Amino acid sequence: MISQAPTQWWVDGLRSRVYRALRPWLGAFYADRARRVAWMGALSVTVSFTLTLLAPLWLLALGPLLLGVPHLVADARYLVVQPKLHQRGPLVWLAALPLLATGFGAPAAVSLLALVPAVLVARASVPRKLLGLLAWGALTAAALAFETPFLLVFLHLHNLIALGWWWVLRPRTRLAWLVPALVLAGTAFLLLGGAEPVLTALGGWRATGTMTSFGEFVALDAPFATPTVAARVVLSFAFLQSVHYAVWLRLVPEDARQRPAPRPFRESWRALEADFGVPLLVVFLGLSLFILGCGAVNLAEARGGYLQLAAFHGYLELAAAALFLVEGKRPC
Amino acid sequence: MKTLCLLSLLLAMPALADILPDEVASCQGKGAGTACTTPDGEAGTCAKISVTRPDYSNGIPPSYKSVEMLGCVATAKGTARSMVPWLGGGLAFLALVAAMIFKPRGPTSALA
């Protein structure tokens, strides 16, 4: 008997039914891509902010384990594969060397070398490329002179690179300003200490199951700040990291695809398969499950391991941003 | 699974070094008396040291508590940790990039 593959996944059928049922109320939000992405972004930022208030330590401990690898895959997909940067010749592949070295503990000045081939392969005039190289030189000088402060600033600001990347993907409507406005308001609220009474009331200052503490995150994210400011910086990091994941996994995919309407899951899978191929997807899935498995054994060490694995991606984002800035065009 | 995780996470030492004090990170997974290298590049052995940590369990301002951990204590002068090999590698990388740009080929170059 010959069996035929179903034309639609059951989950797509389910989603279609949910869309149809909600159309009278939410149809206006979903029909237009610009409006849909703006609301989706506002919702993502709101959820990130709420989780930061309710369970910041869980957010910091579980976020990287659950969403870390998928967001690295999104990085590679939207920064390299879809803009077809990997097809621009051997110079681009050379940029992988400093990124790889990052995973082995290379100093920031070495990791920043990934920007050099990225700027040089940009389709731009010589003056624009020289400007790009000048920016790389300035960043390298800062990294050599003040490595630890440089790394700390980069750690915090890299969360915002994603937001900037998403912003330039398409022309934005006035409604889209809601997303950066909410991010700014949330960060300001956290940095000004608005979250502290909530955390005290809800007991959010500790979470024994996470095998970590605010003290550890202060040592990692804000070692030079006073204790009060340091805790606020850690909270803003938890919030912005969560926003960073939402941008790469929800907003960028929505805006980067050609088709403006929501795409069935089956089609999304096919597009993913076309971008990476099944063997690589299996590797990504295996890596995700492996990190989750390690997290079940030792949450703190699994998180440390993931951070080491992911150290390169901030520089990948920076290098791709440098390339498109020098070219002066939208990446898609 | 646990052994596999622990083995692979050994590769994560530099990241853990960001979370733990450097002298503690270099003794992760080692026993007391094991040889190690201090953050200053000196030879040492792992021994119990006291680390002061802010404790935010009850909110802000934090209290401070002393935690005993296995840390690397210097025993003799060793080789200083250096960025020279990395920077040497970086310069070699730039030379390779330059060689690829300026190698004789078609009418265009990567800078143009």
Side-chain angles (χ1 to χ4, degrees), chain A residues 225-290:
Chain A
T226 61
T228 302
V229 173
R232 293 174 184 176
V233 170
V234 168
L235 286 169
S236 82
F237 180 77
F239 170 57
L240 292 176
Q241 179 179 258
S242 184
V243 170
H244 175 82
Y245 289 146
V247 169
W248 279 118
L249 295 171
R250 209 63 208 92
L251 304 190
V252 169
E254 197 69 33
D255 265 335
R257 67 163 180 262
Q258 296 301 320
R259 170 190 164 132
R263 184 166 58 186
F265 290 113
R266 184 189 162 102
E267 291 305 312
S268 295
W269 168 254
R270 280 186 175 159
L272 201 57
E273 213 179 314
D275 283 342
F276 290 110
V278 173
L280 258 184
L281 291 177
V282 169
V283 171
F284 297 150
L285 182 67
L287 193 59
S288 270
L289 293 176
F290 177 70

Side-chain angles (χ1 to χ4, degrees), chain A residues 193 196 200 205 227-232 235, chain B residues 55-63:
Chain A
E196 285 145 31
T200 302
W205 290 107
T228 302
V229 173
R232 293 174 184 176
L235 286 169
Chain B
D55 179 7
Y56 288 87
S57 300
N58 296 312
I60 290 175
S63 56

